[in-house]
Amino acid sequence: MSLPVTVTVRRETVDTRVDEVLAWLDQGLLLARGFDGYLGGGVLRDASRENVLYTVYAFTDRRSLERWNHSEQWHGWTRDGAPLARVADVQRRTGLEGWFAETQTAPGRGSKRRRPRATAPSSAPPRWKQATAIWCGMLPLNIGVTSIATQLPWWGQLPIAVRSLLLVSSLVPLMTFLVMPAVTRVLRPWLRRDPSAARSERILQDALDSLGGAGSTRGRERG
């Protein structure tokens, strides 16, 4: 099963070149629109440091993202921007970390017209906290599903490979759509990172409409 991949890139530049970098980032998102699997993206500025810029974009799966990252268009675009800005951090969000990624939705600001709401990912908790949360969800679910399965009169007659296939096919969707959302809601205060990191994440509001935005933005959706 393919999962969407969201990428957040933090770049730093000098104050005098911010407009040049914004134009260059918009150009990159425009190029990405020509690739299959592109879901949308946006460019944001840090409210406290105007020379810090964030690009957030998403593809339908990792393969689509890699096609973009290895394309001639991407390499040419990054070469053009290398003198303009420095890449300070890159984060990808997919798979298990998606269980722990909170989103922030907010309407556009500074306009009387209601803008489309955008979704901004926040950073996942430390890996050891993720593992603990998964254990808290997996243990009771595994006990419950296994207890039910062993009560079936024909269960013991199945080959171990078939039993494993049936168990995994039951556990994965239950974990993904039922158990882990509940576990992360209960453990959210503990899973959250330190307050200073949370403040830096709030600048990613209005970043990406995950359900279908397909255009480059500069703090808002564009077509």
Side-chain angles (χ1 to χ4, degrees), residues 19-157:
D19 289 339
E20 291 180 73
V21 177
L22 287 170
W24 170 71
L25 292 174
D26 278 346
Q27 181 189 23
L29 293 176
L30 185 61
L31 289 173
R33 290 179 62 180
F35 284 74
D36 291 339
Y38 178 70
L39 295 177
V43 179
L44 298 172
R45 299 171 68 166
D46 192 321
S48 59
R49 298 178 59 195
E50 292 192 355
N51 67 314
V52 176
L53 304 170
Y54 291 82
T55 309
V56 183
Y57 57 93
F59 280 83
T60 53
D61 52 40
R62 188 174 296 275
R63 182 175 298 179
S64 299
L65 174 63
E66 293 304 321
R67 280 198 297 266
W68 160 244
N69 284 340
H70 291 91
S71 66
E72 293 182 5
Q73 293 92 323
W74 184 87
H75 285 293
W77 173 72
T78 53
R79 281 195 301 270
D80 292 341
L84 299 176
R86 179 181 69 88
V87 175
D89 183 57
V90 179
Q91 295 185 23
R92 292 188 181 188
R93 184 69 24 70
T94 189
L96 293 179
E97 288 190 351
W99 285 338
F100 305 97
E102 298 180 6
T103 58
Q104 302 169 354
T105 57
R109 292 167 297 174
S111 172
K112 293 182 179 180
R113 293 183 301 171
R114 184 177 180 82
R115 297 174 182 166
R117 291 193 301 175
T119 303
S122 65
S123 297
R127 292 296 178 91
W128 70 271
K129 287 190 175 185
Q130 295 183 38
T132 303
I134 293 171
W135 184 88
C136 290
M138 178 63 77
L139 179 63
L141 179 62
N142 187 47
I143 292 173
V145 172
T146 303
S147 299
I148 294 173
T150 54
Q151 299 303 312
L152 300 174
W154 43 264
W155 183 257
Q157 302 173 14

Side-chain angles (χ1 to χ4, degrees), residues 188-210:
R188 181 171 293 137
W190 177 71
L191 288 169
R192 282 187 61 84
R193 301 196 306 165
D194 60 272
S196 61
R199 284 195 298 271
S200 68
E201 290 163 357
R202 282 197 289 268
I203 62 95
L204 293 178
Q205 60 188 334
D206 300 328
L208 178 67
D209 184 351
S210 60

Side-chain angles (χ1 to χ4, degrees), residues 149 153-168:
W154 43 264
W155 183 257
Q157 302 173 14
L158 296 175
I160 188 170
V162 176
R163 281 182 282 170
S164 298
L165 175 64
L166 292 175
L167 281 175
V168 171

Side-chain angles (χ1 to χ4, degrees), residues 168-189:
V168 171
S169 299
S170 302
L171 291 172
V172 169
L174 288 172
M175 281 286 291
T176 302
F177 300 109
L178 182 63
V179 176
M180 287 311 301
V183 170
T184 53
R185 279 197 300 270
V186 172
L187 298 181
R188 181 171 293 137

